[in-house]
Amino acid sequence: MTKEEPLVSMKGISIEFPGVKALDNVDLRLFPGEVHALMGENGAGKSTMIKALTGVYKINAGTITVNGQNRIFNGTADAQNAGIATVYQEVNLCTNLSVGENVMLGHEVRGHLGINWRKTHEAAKTYLAQMGLTDLDPHTPLNEISIAMQQLVAIARAMVIDAKVLILDEPTSSLDANEVQDLFQIMRKVRDRGIAILFVSHFLDQVYEIADRMTILRNGKFVEETMVKDMPRDVLITKMIGKNADELSLIGTKSRKETPQAATDRPLASVRGFGRKGSIYPFDMDLFKGKIMGLAGLLGSGRTEIGRLLFGADKPDKGTYTFDGKKISIDSPATALKNRIAYSTENRRDEGIIGDLTVRENIILALQATRGMFRPIPRKEADRIVDKYIKELNVRPADPDRLIKNLSGGNQQKVLLARWLATDPELLILDEPTRGIDIGAKAEIQQTVLDLAAQGMSVVFISSELDEVVRLSDQITVLKDRHKIDLMDNDDTVSQQTIVEDIANTSVSGQSQGKEER
Amino acid sequence: MMKKSASRQTGFRLSPRAIPTVAAVVIFLLMLIMGQVLFGTYIRLGFMSSLFMDHAYLVILAVAMTFPILTGGIDLSVGAIVAITGVVGVKLMIAGVPASLVIVIMIAIGAVFGLLAGVLIEEFNMQPFIATLSTMFLARGIASIISTDSLNMPQNNNFSWIGGEGLKIIDNPKISNDLSLNFGVIVALVVVAVSYVILHKTRTGRTIYAIGGSRSSAELMGLPVKRTQYVIYLTSAVLASIASIVYVAGIGSAKNTMGVGWELDAVAAVVIGGTLITGGYGYVLGSVIGALVRSIIDPLTSDFGVPAEAVTIVVGLMILAFVILQRLVTFVRKE
């Protein structure tokens, strides 16, 4: 698959923002018929590089050559005209329009009397069929189909504009395993047509599965371009984070053994027959001090729903909740906080951080909420708390007055963690605390979780990455299709494989019918 | 929810988003029937003719307002543009300028204000609400500087026929129950038809809907968002001056205070007609129905003996009802 001439050649790209050099002399070459992975930690400059190629940002130095022609992009339309199409993580389509309209928007088939809708939808149908969406009616409103399908629709749109280069920015972060496979199948198809694909993902497995070539960035600088097959994973990780990743793999295996067995006999929190119609079927769960309860299951299996119920973000309609020996009824996050239960959301950007507030304000937010508005936290006290957590969690840059939206994803997550730790919780529910953040920050957060448990906190750890759940948890609750199907003591017999088999082999259909009839 | 599943079974494909518009049609018909049953004067050719002729200007303004609202924007300047173009127009006629030239100048003035709003919104990144609020005050102020008197059109002008009695299509000899049509109504119908074609049959129209769905998405899709925004505010302002031409020709005079609050009547018509105020969903035909509902409220309330002062309360309640209906529809959708 060697092609001598690159389709896109970016040379010596530099982009400066006030006070920051986001990209410094970076090269990137995209070859036709190849999937090229852009690798790097959060803040390495991947998104900036993509935005340079799509015309969102103007470059301060360097050249962009597409198909042998020098190009200067003054906007996204310029880049599209040069044949560069992008599918963003949050799918940039219009949910108010139909699938077919989205595919053809700006390229509708026109007749003598304006747009010919019948032909437009027919054309959309053929493009959708190329994406394997043969059964999808182009008249369907976009907001009625899944994110995974929306992504395929966005790729179909790229085919309409006859793109030579397709950029996929974190396309798999909200897809489940099957959807990822569907996407990869389409990506291979598109690649084999001679289109150059630029693929960005945090999932190393996926990169190794789909990509042919990779470019590694670190701190806004070019590190290396190489064929994927020539790059062992450990070397890649080392190059991405600039330090050896062995420490990462040691996390858990070592620390878990150190966690005291059965700290108390009485659970800190205990729910019986807890459930909510339409989100999770009734389940029992005991959470102990100093223990980490992992929740494992596929997307939509009810992981997040359990977290939200335990925190009172959703109201349970069945069951009892016992906390610290007392029966409690948690009907809102405020009561949960009073009972020293904290929940860090999976939806960091929308439900977590408040972008226009500073790091300091974001950290003390929840603590202030527990005190009420008439008892402000004294400035000194606030500074002490903020400094403590910035140091302990290694938030970078260590500047409490910086707006949180200007931090990388990993550091935003640390600030969120700090927010909940500042309320001094006894039960901490972490929903996808490591999603979309780089390996270095991931390791730090994992270590923090273990430390917290060692200090006696009870932790519920929710993650879609099974290896993480297996590494950190003392016990693992396995979920499938909104049912709790198993509770495992995480000993040496448990691995990712046993959980996957458990999910695959357990049938919940009979169970669910029985429960619905009640 | 029940209704939804029932309609699925019968295979009837009515988009839930069209429900508010359909509801507006139903309510308009109900109001007509109610008026007819109680007062006996509503479902008559004469009543319908005058309803259209008297409110052609409102239909045009409602169509004008539909464009910005579809993108989630608003044009607050339409009422003031009616005033300034009207005042200038009548002044020119008094000075003896021929009607055809007056019409061109009135439209040009509207276009200038639309262009100004576009520049403020796109080049200075202002909210449409604020940008058109400022052009509204500007237009109203200039109109007041030109004249604060009620200006009457000269006799024997070449202008009044636009809004005049019109031609009688069915001449009913017994009572004054003729089906008649004047040029203003024809203008309104043309405006509606052209707007429908623009919104549903051109790429510009689809870009308007796309901006209403998500402006950033529309930009990332490479659509000409900026140019379209100019088109939108130019269109609404030019349509406002056309509304002014129709209205002034009808009453034969102009004053700097005319058209106060009309922008809000237009918003009311658009909302009643089922266009989502946050943009993305709606139909220009819905706005026409909305304008008719708004128009029929006046005779209906007066026949009911509702004091004129309280009519706005009825309008307010209707808007409230329609917004709640939209909310319900959106809610059902999410479920």
Side-chain angles (χ1 to χ4, degrees):
Chain A
M1 200 161 257
T2 40
K3 305 278 191 302
E4 58 287 351
E5 273 297 296
L7 191 61
V8 173
S9 174
M10 299 171 78
K11 280 214 173 72
I13 304 293
S14 293
I15 290 185
E16 276 175 58
F17 299 125
V20 201
K21 198 149 196 183
L23 286 178
D24 184 9
N25 199 17
V26 176
D27 296 349
L28 178 68
R29 300 188 301 161
L30 303 180
F31 292 84
E34 262 189 24
V35 176
H36 190 125
L38 191 55
M39 306 298 296
E41 289 195 289
N42 274 67
K46 299 187 304 271
S47 334
T48 318
M49 196 67 184
I50 288 177
K51 285 179 174 157
L53 182 54
T54 52
V56 177
Y57 291 157
K58 278 192 191 172
I59 53 176
N60 297 100
T63 55
I64 302 176
T65 316
V66 182
N67 243 341
Q69 269 182 296
N70 250 328
R71 296 274 191 169
I72 295 165
F73 297 145
N74 286 318
T76 45
D78 284 356
Q80 287 201 2
N81 291 337
I84 297 168
T86 318
V87 177
Y88 293 90
Q89 185 178 357
E90 59 275 20
V91 192
N92 52 307
L93 298 172
C94 291
T95 50
N96 60 324
L97 302 177
S98 74
V99 168
E101 283 176 279
N102 269 292
V103 172
M104 303 300 293
L105 207 54
H107 307 271
E108 293 91 348
V109 183
R110 286 187 287 201
H112 295 298
L113 300 162
I115 296 170
N116 183 332
W117 281 113
R118 196 178 51 81
K119 281 192 178 162
T120 301
H121 280 117
E122 272 170 17
K125 209 164 168 50
T126 59
Y127 285 110
L128 289 168
Q130 290 175 10
M131 296 301 117
L133 299 172
T134 34
D135 295 335
L136 184 59
D137 180 358
H139 295 89
T140 314
L142 188 80
N143 53 13
E144 283 182 7
I145 64 174
S146 68
I147 293 280
M149 274 165 104
Q150 290 186 18
Q151 258 162 359
L152 297 180
V153 169
I155 298 176
R157 179 177 167 76
M159 298 302 105
V160 174
I161 64 170
D162 197 19
K164 303 279 182 296
V165 180
L166 178 62
I167 302 171
L168 299 169
D169 186 4
E170 293 276 1
T172 57
S173 59
S174 41
L175 306 191
D176 68 28
N178 287 331
E179 293 170 335
V180 169
Q181 284 314 315
D182 289 347
L183 177 70
F184 282 1
Q185 208 185 325
I186 298 300
M187 280 171 68
R188 291 192 186 100
K189 212 163 145 186
V190 169
R191 175 195 66 191
D192 293 343
R193 286 194 193 172
I195 289 169
I197 298 180
L198 182 60
F199 177 66
V200 178
S201 171
H202 276 103
F203 302 103
L204 290 189
D205 289 344
Q206 296 178 357
V207 169
Y208 276 91
E209 185 181 344
I210 191 81
D212 304 303
R213 189 188 293 266
M214 63 167 72
T215 292
I216 305 164
L217 305 181
R218 186 171 71 231
N219 293 331
K221 293 200 175 72
F222 176 81
V223 178
E224 189 174 344
E225 185 209 277
T226 173
M227 298 309 284
V228 172
K229 61 179 186 326
D230 302 332
M231 173 62 75
R233 287 178 195 221
D234 48 347
V235 181
L236 170 64
I237 292 169
T238 312
K239 284 184 192 273
M240 277 164 61
I241 64 178
K243 61 187 171 196
N244 202 315
D246 283 350
E247 33 193 298
L248 181 69
S249 48
L250 289 178
I251 289 179
T253 41
K254 175 184 63 179
S255 324
R256 191 168 65 228
K257 304 268 149 59
E258 289 169 0
T259 339
Q261 293 292 316
T264 51
D265 292 326
R266 195 186 71 183
L268 171 71
S270 159
V271 295
R272 289 289 173 270
F274 217 46
R276 176 181 159 89
K277 207 167 175 234
S279 73
I280 180 91
Y281 289 95
F283 66 96
D284 300 343
M285 189 179 277
D286 291 315
L287 303 168
F288 295 91
K289 279 188 179 165
K291 293 285 180 186
I292 301 173
M293 170 68 81
L295 300 190
L298 302 173
L299 196 72
S301 62
R303 300 180 315 222
T304 295
E305 287 76 1
I306 287 185
R308 292 178 63 87
L309 276 186
L310 291 174
F311 183 57
D314 292 328
K315 277 191 206 167
D317 48 21
K318 291 193 190 69
T320 58
Y321 199 149
T322 316
F323 193 82
D324 216 3
K326 296 188 299 270
K327 278 220 161 141
I328 56 170
S329 128
I330 294 213
D331 50 7
S332 73
T335 13
L337 279 175
K338 257 186 217 132
N339 284 292
R340 296 174 62 196
I341 302 169
Y343 169 73
S344 169
T345 173
E346 65 169 337
N347 199 344
R348 184 166 65 226
R349 203 176 41 190
D350 297 336
E351 294 175 14
I353 63 161
I354 301 185
D356 288 319
L357 294 184
T358 62
V359 168
R360 181 204 321 277
E361 288 161 333
N362 267 288
I363 289 180
I364 63 166
L365 200 62
L367 181 59
Q368 182 63 63
T370 60
R371 291 168 63 110
M373 64 190 266
F374 299 114
R375 289 174 53 227
I377 303 165
R379 179 62 188 233
K380 247 189 180 164
E381 171 86 4
D383 281 346
R384 192 185 59 75
I385 293 170
V386 169
D387 286 346
K388 176 177 160 216
Y389 287 113
I390 287 183
K391 213 170 286 160
E392 268 181 21
L393 300 177
N394 190 21
V395 176
R396 280 162 302 176
D399 173 8
D401 293 315
R402 186 174 283 247
L403 294 186
I404 194 169
K405 65 179 176 192
N406 297 333
L407 267 59
S408 72
N411 284 301
Q412 290 177 352
Q413 190 64 50
K414 288 183 199 167
V415 171
L416 274 189
L417 196 54
R419 175 194 294 173
W420 299 115
L421 293 181
T423 65
D424 192 19
E426 288 188 271
L427 172 59
L428 177 64
I429 305 156
L430 297 172
D431 197 352
E432 299 277 8
T434 63
R435 175 193 284 175
I437 68 175
D438 58 69
I439 291 171
K442 203 177 248 186
E444 284 174 312
I445 285 177
Q446 291 173 353
Q447 188 57 55
T448 308
V449 170
L450 290 168
D451 293 346
L452 291 169
Q455 289 160 26
M457 198 179 285
S458 177
V459 180
V460 176
F461 187 82
I462 305 172
S463 172
S464 51
E465 289 174 52
L466 278 181
D467 64 314
E468 197 177 63
V469 176
V470 172
R471 244 185 294 127
L472 296 183
S473 310
D474 296 295
Q475 284 190 306
I476 298 173
T477 297
V478 186
L479 299 164
K480 181 179 186 181
D481 298 344
R482 306 184 183 280
H483 289 278
K484 173 181 171 182
I485 57 169
D486 207 352
L487 176 67
M488 299 174 170
D489 283 320
N490 192 9
D491 50 31
D492 293 339
T493 62
V494 174
S495 67
Q496 286 191 56
Q497 196 52 37
T498 49
I499 294 175
V500 169
E501 281 168 10
D502 200 19
I503 294 174
N505 297 334
T506 311
S507 156
V508 292
S509 56
Q511 231 175 321
S512 73
Q513 270 170 7
K515 273 179 184 150
E516 268 167 352
E517 274 164 21
R518 285 193 297 151
Chain B
M1 291 297 277
M2 291 290 286
K3 247 183 196 166
K4 200 181 168 192
S5 55
S7 70
R8 276 227 178 115
Q9 276 162 7
T10 55
F12 179 54
R13 274 181 63 104
L14 174 64
S15 158
R17 288 293 182 181
I19 289 174
T21 306
V22 173
V25 174
V26 171
I27 283 179
F28 177 67
L29 294 177
L30 285 179
M31 289 168 101
L32 270 183
I33 293 167
M34 185 166 70
Q36 176 66 22
V37 169
L38 294 175
F39 310 110
T41 50
Y42 281 69
I43 305 184
R44 301 178 70 179
L45 296 176
F47 178 82
M48 295 304 288
S49 302
S50 61
L51 189 72
F52 272 92
M53 288 197 290
D54 294 348
H55 296 97
Y57 78 94
L58 186 59
V59 169
I60 298 170
L61 285 181
V63 171
M65 191 62 83
T66 310
F67 283 78
I69 289 186
L70 274 178
T71 65
I74 197 165
D75 187 347
L76 293 177
S77 67
V78 291
I81 290 175
V82 168
I84 187 170
T85 50
V87 168
V88 171
V90 176
K91 271 262 177 194
L92 289 174
M93 268 183 271
I94 293 169
V97 178
S100 51
L101 187 56
V102 169
I103 289 173
V104 171
I105 292 172
M106 286 173 79
I107 289 176
I109 291 172
V112 168
F113 279 99
L115 192 65
L116 181 59
V119 169
L120 291 176
I121 292 165
E122 285 305 306
E123 311 303 331
F124 294 91
N125 211 8
M126 283 169 79
Q127 291 291 320
F129 188 98
I130 299 299
T132 57
L133 189 68
S134 65
T135 54
M136 172 186 106
F137 282 122
L138 181 65
R140 183 74 65 190
I142 297 175
S144 304
I145 290 171
I146 294 171
S147 171
T148 51
D149 301 327
S150 182
L151 304 167
N152 289 314
M153 288 200 298
Q155 296 293 311
N156 302 323
N157 60 64
N158 264 329
F159 195 80
S160 289
W161 62 273
I162 294 173
E165 281 292 303
L167 63 156
K168 290 182 178 168
I169 296 171
I170 298 175
D171 200 345
N172 216 326
K174 271 189 195 160
I175 31 168
S176 61
N177 188 17
D178 314 322
L179 178 65
S180 42
L181 194 65
N182 66 8
F183 193 68
V185 174
I186 295 171
V187 169
L189 292 178
V190 169
V191 163
V192 171
V194 170
S195 300
Y196 177 85
V197 169
I198 290 176
L199 286 175
H200 295 278
K201 289 284 195 175
T202 68
R203 290 182 181 170
T204 302
R206 300 327 288 171
T207 304
I208 290 173
Y209 279 88
I211 295 171
S214 161
R215 175 168 180 152
S216 61
S217 287
E219 277 169 349
L220 288 173
M221 282 195 242
L223 299 174
V225 170
K226 203 166 168 173
R227 195 182 75 203
T228 307
Q229 286 281 86
Y230 274 105
V231 169
I232 289 164
Y233 290 92
L234 266 174
T235 306
S236 60
V238 165
L239 288 182
S241 31
I242 292 177
S244 177
I245 292 167
V246 169
Y247 185 76
V248 170
I251 63 165
S253 69
K255 194 168 189 299
N256 65 324
T257 53
M258 81 178 176
V260 171
W262 285 6
E263 60 281 347
L264 301 182
D265 278 335
V267 171
V270 171
V271 171
I272 290 173
T275 298
L276 204 63
I277 195 78
T278 47
Y281 295 95
Y283 308 95
V284 69
L285 296 175
S287 302
V288 175
I289 297 294
L292 293 177
V293 170
R294 172 70 191 85
S295 310
I296 206 174
I297 288 175
D298 289 322
L300 204 56
T301 46
S302 93
D303 283 344
F304 264 112
V306 177
E309 297 79 19
V311 168
T312 53
I313 297 176
V314 177
V315 178
L317 288 174
M318 293 207 65
I319 294 173
L320 195 65
F322 277 95
V323 171
I324 290 171
L325 184 67
Q326 286 180 347
R327 280 281 163 128
L328 283 177
V329 170
T330 319
F331 186 70
V332 169
R333 270 296 264 248
K334 277 188 184 151
E335 292 286 291

